[in-house]
Structure formats: C-alpha cells, structure tokens
C-alpha cells in the first residue's frame, strides 16, 4: 500500500494538535489521505501547525478548533464540528496532556485535580463524544498517547506518570467495551521525544540543543531522543486498517527504555 493511501477516506480528530507529537501525527495523517480535525487550547499553535501542514501537504483536508479538553461541552462541539465537516469520524487520537514537576510529597490536591482533569477526564471527554461516530463508522480506532513512564519509574513527575498509567487502564477497558461495536482502542507510550516544548524549556534554562541531546543518552537503548515523526508513524499504523486485529495493546515507542 502506498504511503499516501494508507488512511485514504479516514476521518480523524487529534487533540493536542498544536505542536509536537500531535502536529507530526496530523501531518502524516494528511499525507496518508485522511481528513483531520485538529484540537488545541491555543489558537496560535493551531494556526502555525495548519500553515506548516499546508506547506507539506498542499490541499490537505485539515480543520482546526480551539477547545480545552477538560470541558465536556467543548469536546462535544469539536467532535460535532468534525462530523459536520467530514460526514463522520473513523479515528480519535487522544494526545493532549499537561505536565507537573512536583514531588509526590509536595503535590497539592489542586495540582492533582488539574492533572486528572486534562490527562484522564480530557481523554474520557473525547472518547465519550466520539464513540457514537466511531461506532457508526463500523471500524473505528482510538489511539491514546500515554508515556513510557506509565510502566517504569522515575522521580519528579509522579502526577503526570500516574495519569498516564491511568490512560493505559482506560484503553484496556475501552477495548473490552467497544469490541462489539467495531471500535479498537490502543495506546502508544512514547519515550523521550524532542519536541518544541522541550527545546523551548531548555533554551529558557540557558541550555543549548547539543547539551539537551546529551542529557537523554541514557534514557533509551538507542541513546538518543525520538523525533515527533518517530512517534507519529506508530500512531498512524494503529489508526489504519493494517492494525485491524490489534486492540487493547500498549505499544512501547521508547527506544527500549522499558527494558533498561
């Protein structure tokens, strides 16, 4: 199957599409023939991403909507907008997430609520809003973007990692509940991925890109960061009919970190 036809005719919604893995996934989806609705809380980020995709995939059937994933009404509106523009929905990619760097001993209830509201409730909001359309499609696919740290430990990001582990449990339950409706649910667990977020954070701390890259040599067997495209390709595969017999699966895309 040619690359440009792998998602031909598929209609997808991607949350957290303003940059990083979400933007890379949207670009690959469009290049593979999908119609894509990008959701992000930042209008500016969506505008930049849409412009970049238009340059890479001229004429791409791409739409954007500004929404906060923790708001169920906004989730419903975004999904309905996708249905109106594309006539339905075949693929949902839950990529939106927030981070927190508090130690477990210091984290406040407010910090926990904020993390859960985005990383777990936000994922649930879009699943609930999209499932009627995914069921109607007859061969729907949900791909939840979790984290390699959902299955291995570290210090300093316990709130984030706990919610990402919760996404894996949610994915397994969705696989059980939706199999009868023809909807598959899988999760991707990225490792260290060199996104604009990490580059910007390093620059703000006065670190060069070379120093930033050196800091992740021990977080994978491959000794380097992933590019956003290297995470987007497995997402595309799980979304496609090529993965039609795969559901309830956690796919580690972490350069081998989980076996270190």
């Amino acid at each position: 199957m040619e690359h440009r036809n792998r998602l031909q005719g598929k209609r997808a919604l991607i949350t957290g599409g303003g940059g990083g893995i979400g933007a890379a996934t949207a670009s690959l989806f469009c290049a593979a023939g999908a119609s894509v609705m990008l959701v992000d809380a930042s209008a500016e980020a969506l505008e930049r991403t849409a412009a970049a995709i238009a340059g890479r995939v001229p004429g791409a059937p791409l739409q954007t909507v500004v929404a906060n994933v923790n708001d169920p009404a906004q989730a419903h509106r975004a999904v309905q907008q996708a249905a109106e523009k594309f006539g339905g929905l075949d693929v949902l990619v839950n990529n939106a997430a927030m981070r927190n760097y508090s130690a477990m001993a210091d984290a406040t209830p407010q910090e926990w609520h904020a993390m859960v509201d985005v990383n777990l409730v936000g994922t649930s909001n879009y699943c609930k809003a999209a499932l009627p359309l995914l069921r109607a499609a007859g061969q729907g696919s949900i791909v939840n973007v979790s984290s390699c740290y959902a299955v291995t430990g570290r210090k300093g990001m316990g709130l984030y990692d706990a919610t990402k582990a919760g996404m894996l449990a949610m994915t397994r339950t969705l696989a059980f509940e939706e199999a009868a409706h023809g909807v598959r649910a899988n999760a991707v667990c990225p490792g260290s991925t060199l996104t604009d977020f990490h580059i910007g954070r390093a620059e703000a701390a006065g670190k060069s890109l070379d120093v930033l890259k050196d800091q992740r040599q021990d977080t994978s067997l491959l000794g380097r960061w992933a590019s956003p495209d290297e995470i987007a390709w497995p997402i595309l595969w799980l979304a496609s009919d090529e993965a039609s017999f795969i559901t309830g699966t956690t796919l580690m895309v972490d350069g081998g970190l989980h076996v270190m």
Side-chain angles (χ1 to χ4, degrees):
M1 182 180 293
E2 294 184 9
H3 158 59
R4 66 175 179 271
N5 294 325
R6 293 177 72 188
L7 294 181
Q8 192 65 43
K10 298 291 188 184
R11 301 152 299 181
L13 185 150
I14 302 170
T15 69
I21 293 170
T25 301
S27 184
L28 287 182
F29 274 31
C30 287
S35 300
V36 176
M37 177 66 73
L38 270 184
V39 179
D40 200 277
S42 169
E44 294 77 14
L46 285 173
E47 185 176 349
R48 287 194 302 270
T49 297
I53 292 174
R56 182 175 178 180
V57 189
L62 178 72
Q63 300 287 327
T64 63
V65 59
V66 178
N68 292 307
V69 296
N70 60 358
D71 186 323
Q74 292 185 32
H76 179 78
R77 175 173 57 84
V79 168
Q80 289 307 304
Q81 188 167 329
E84 292 167 6
K85 295 291 185 179
F86 305 146
L89 197 65
D90 303 281
V91 179
L92 170 65
V93 179
N94 286 303
N95 172 69
M98 72 174 294
R99 292 171 172 268
N100 180 288
Y101 298 94
S102 294
M104 298 289 282
D106 302 324
T108 66
Q110 291 76 19
E111 288 177 298
W112 274 106
H113 287 306
M115 290 294 295
V116 170
D117 279 351
V118 171
N119 295 358
L120 285 177
V121 176
T123 297
S124 175
N125 285 340
Y126 276 82
C127 288
K128 184 173 182 178
L131 275 170
L133 294 174
L134 296 174
R135 292 171 176 177
Q139 201 171 4
S141 175
I142 298 172
V143 183
N144 292 326
V145 181
S146 178
S147 168
C148 62
Y149 292 105
V151 300
T152 189
R154 61 176 166 175
K155 64 180 181 180
M157 289 190 71
L159 281 66
Y160 178 86
D161 297 347
T163 56
K164 288 297 186 176
M167 287 182 73
L168 300 185
M170 186 186 301
T171 301
R172 292 189 292 268
T173 300
L174 283 166
F176 269 98
E177 294 180 349
E178 295 303 318
H181 302 288
V183 178
R184 298 181 295 110
N186 294 288
V188 166
C189 287
S192 300
T193 307
L194 194 57
T195 63
D196 290 340
F197 171 84
H198 289 294
I199 294 172
R201 194 163 177 261
E203 289 176 347
K207 297 177 183 176
S208 70
L209 185 58
D210 288 339
V211 170
L212 180 65
K213 289 180 178 180
D214 288 343
Q215 288 179 333
R216 294 300 175 118
Q217 289 184 350
D218 60 350
T219 59
S220 77
L221 291 177
L222 301 180
R224 62 174 179 84
W225 294 77
S227 72
D229 275 0
E230 288 180 298
I231 311 302
W233 281 113
I235 294 172
L236 184 152
W237 178 65
L238 286 173
S240 77
D241 293 340
E242 297 170 16
S244 57
F245 200 59
I246 299 177
T247 194
T249 291
T250 296
L251 179 59
M252 305 303 298
V253 191
D254 65 349
L257 174 62
H258 66 286
V259 299
M260 290 175 68

